[in-house]
Amino acid sequence: MKNYVEIFKKLLQINDKKNFAIIQMFVSSGLNNIASLLPPIATSGIIAMVTSDNFNGIWFYVVLYIIFYIIYFGTLRWNYYTYTVLADFYHIEVERMLFNKVANNDEIFKKISKGKILETCSDDIRWLVDVIDCVVKASMSILKLLIIFGIFMYYNIFVATMALLLNLLYLKLMNNNSKKVSKYFEGTRKYEDKNVDILTQMLENLRQVKTLNMMPRLDKNLDKTRRKWKEQYKKKRDYMTTRYCSIPFIVYIGKILLYIFLAYLVINNKMKLDQLVLLISYFEMTITCTDLMLDNLLNLSNYGVRVNRIKNILDYSHQKGIDFGDIDNDYINGTVEFKNVCYQIGNSLILNKVSFKIYPNEINAIIGHSGSGKTTIVNLLYRLNRIKSGEILIDNESIYNYSNNVYFSNVSGVFQKPFVFEMSIKDNLSLIDSNIKNQIEVCKRVGLHDYIVSLPKGYNTIIGEDKHLFTEAQKQLLAIARSLLTKSEILLLDEVTSNIDPNTTSIHTLFWIPL
């Protein structure tokens, strides 16, 4: 039970802004479970009226039936409404939290695989509300069982003892089974993550995978993970089979013995027929209620795996993170200066006392052979890494002293690999500036406008909808157009024209604005 409480606590640690709605879940579910105990009372009353030949008294219990079911379905409706509110909240808010965490921690993939992050963001978050639902249903099932055992004790202590012992045995066997099922469920998720991670990398480099004929060997590597997954899945299914095909048999044997004893009491006039019907109805409820509670506890164990995966991402913190300042001065001219900058990775010195100064309204190029540190300089200016020694200044102020909002509203750029979202051209550009006139202006400037308007849907054309509509070069031009919309004072370009035809487009025409 302690493990289940820990899972619930972790969920509240992820986000506890909907505690009042959670309380409503408990209240509505509790009232609903109590309401489900009322109809057998009306059934017992009707049988009592029939056996006493009092037909007119039946109508009183018929009215009770209607009232009981109005309460039952009314509380159930309340419970469903609260579930929907919580499902919307947790899915949207936790997804936002995960996206922000990944976006603001560039090195998170060194510790957590991309496949695991993708699976968590796309699948695990939608089960969070069911953690609450399982806790509520399991808790209310326990409350319901206690009430039923109290009723049994009122009528016959021996019957109550038999019912209690049967349920305790059932709970013990099922709880041990739940732990095993949860263990192997976590194992299947582990190997699913590995395969998704490989698939993601393969899709990102599909052209190289095909041209180098890597698929046969890659498939062999994947088969190892598939076999591991199969082993975990088989063990999980073995325990599931025991859970639903072997353990319940014990309860049904006990149920038969209990019913024989109740029949004996009625035959010997130690119990009335209406009481027999009432107790049988309640014992059937104990079986249903126990099954429901155990199913919810099993699901809670499985959901605990999902909660841990989400929490691991949200709790991730890079020990060597870069702290930024709080300078909110947005009047940046764009003078960039490196003063004796040194940067190293491990024991390898990448930059050694690099110094240069770049002035506003200039186009400057850094040239050198592969591995000489060109991209490193760009990444340092993006503040992705911190230098070992020296200074990097913008307008005579250390780049680490600017706030994030100010810095990235003045420093932006484009990387070598074109990056655009699979949405319309207009929506891609609207991420920076939704003014259509400005969008058309930058597209004309990079030489894309005429091609875009020639498309059937123009600026509403979806990137990626038809692979033949946009080449890699055109995607790069669109990425450049998007960067121009930022109106940043400093634009960083990492070999952005490698995919562009130099005979039709040049850096000068793209970025030089006559004064």
Side-chain angles (χ1 to χ4, degrees), residues 56 69 147 283 385 407 466 513:
N56 291 330
Y69 278 114
I147 294 172
F283 187 74
N385 302 303
Y407 194 80
D466 185 338
I513 302 176

Side-chain angles (χ1 to χ4, degrees), residues 32-41 43 69 72 141 144-145 148-149 151-152 167 255 259 278-293:
N32 182 256
N33 275 274
I34 292 171
S36 68
L37 295 171
L38 301 177
I41 297 173
T43 303
Y69 278 114
Y72 176 81
S141 294
K144 188 174 179 178
L145 285 170
I148 291 173
F149 288 130
I151 295 170
F152 276 131
N167 269 276
K255 181 172 77 169
Y259 287 176
L278 184 67
L279 291 180
I280 287 176
S281 297
Y282 280 141
F283 187 74
E284 290 291 340
M285 278 190 183
T286 62
I287 296 173
T288 304
C289 192
T290 303
D291 282 336
L292 180 64
M293 179 182 69

Side-chain angles (χ1 to χ4, degrees), residues 241-425:
T241 302
T242 302
R243 179 182 187 84
Y244 293 112
C245 301
S246 302
I247 297 175
F249 184 74
I250 299 170
V251 177
Y252 285 100
I253 294 295
K255 181 172 77 169
I256 292 169
L257 294 174
L258 181 62
Y259 287 176
I260 291 172
F261 178 71
L262 289 172
Y264 169 81
L265 293 178
V266 173
I267 292 170
N268 288 277
N269 295 318
K270 294 181 179 180
M271 182 177 287
K272 294 180 180 179
L273 183 61
D274 59 308
Q275 294 174 345
L276 171 68
V277 172
L278 184 67
L279 291 180
I280 287 176
S281 297
Y282 280 141
F283 187 74
E284 290 291 340
M285 278 190 183
T286 62
I287 296 173
T288 304
C289 192
T290 303
D291 282 336
L292 180 64
M293 179 182 69
L294 290 167
D295 282 344
N296 279 291
L297 291 177
L298 172 62
N299 290 334
L300 188 59
S301 295
N302 293 338
Y303 297 150
V305 175
R306 301 179 187 277
V307 170
N308 286 333
R309 288 157 60 92
I310 292 170
K311 202 164 186 307
N312 285 343
I313 294 174
L314 294 177
D315 289 348
Y316 172 83
S317 60
H318 183 44
Q319 294 181 349
K320 297 180 180 179
I322 299 174
D323 297 324
F324 301 120
D326 55 4
I327 294 178
D328 286 326
N329 173 27
D330 202 17
Y331 300 103
I332 291 177
N333 292 318
T335 302
V336 177
E337 185 174 6
F338 272 50
K339 284 186 175 181
N340 297 316
V341 171
C342 293
Y343 176 74
Q344 70 180 54
I345 299 176
N347 295 322
S348 301
L349 189 63
I350 309 300
L351 300 178
N352 185 21
K353 295 183 179 180
V354 173
S355 297
F356 60 82
K357 193 168 187 178
I358 297 172
Y359 296 93
N361 300 314
E362 288 185 354
I363 295 175
N364 292 268
I366 300 174
I367 59 175
H369 59 78
S370 179
S372 60
K374 303 187 299 296
T375 298
T376 299
I377 290 174
V378 173
N379 287 340
L380 288 173
L381 282 168
Y382 276 128
R383 301 200 308 191
L384 298 177
N385 302 303
R386 182 179 278 278
I387 58 178
K388 180 185 177 184
S389 62
E391 289 183 292
I392 303 177
L393 308 172
I394 291 181
D395 289 355
N396 295 318
E397 188 70 58
S398 170
I399 62 171
Y400 305 113
N401 292 340
Y402 288 101
S403 67
N404 270 338
N405 288 338
V406 167
Y407 194 80
F408 289 114
S409 65
N410 286 278
V411 179
S412 64
V414 185
F415 291 92
Q416 181 178 359
K417 186 176 179 180
F419 165 64
V420 290
F421 287 101
E422 290 189 357
M423 54 178 66
S424 71
I425 296 168

Side-chain angles (χ1 to χ4, degrees), residues 42-59 61-62 273-274:
T43 303
S44 176
I46 290 172
I47 291 173
M49 293 299 101
V50 170
T51 54
S52 63
D53 295 325
N54 183 8
F55 184 78
N56 291 330
I58 291 175
W59 294 107
Y61 290 101
V62 169
L273 183 61
D274 59 308

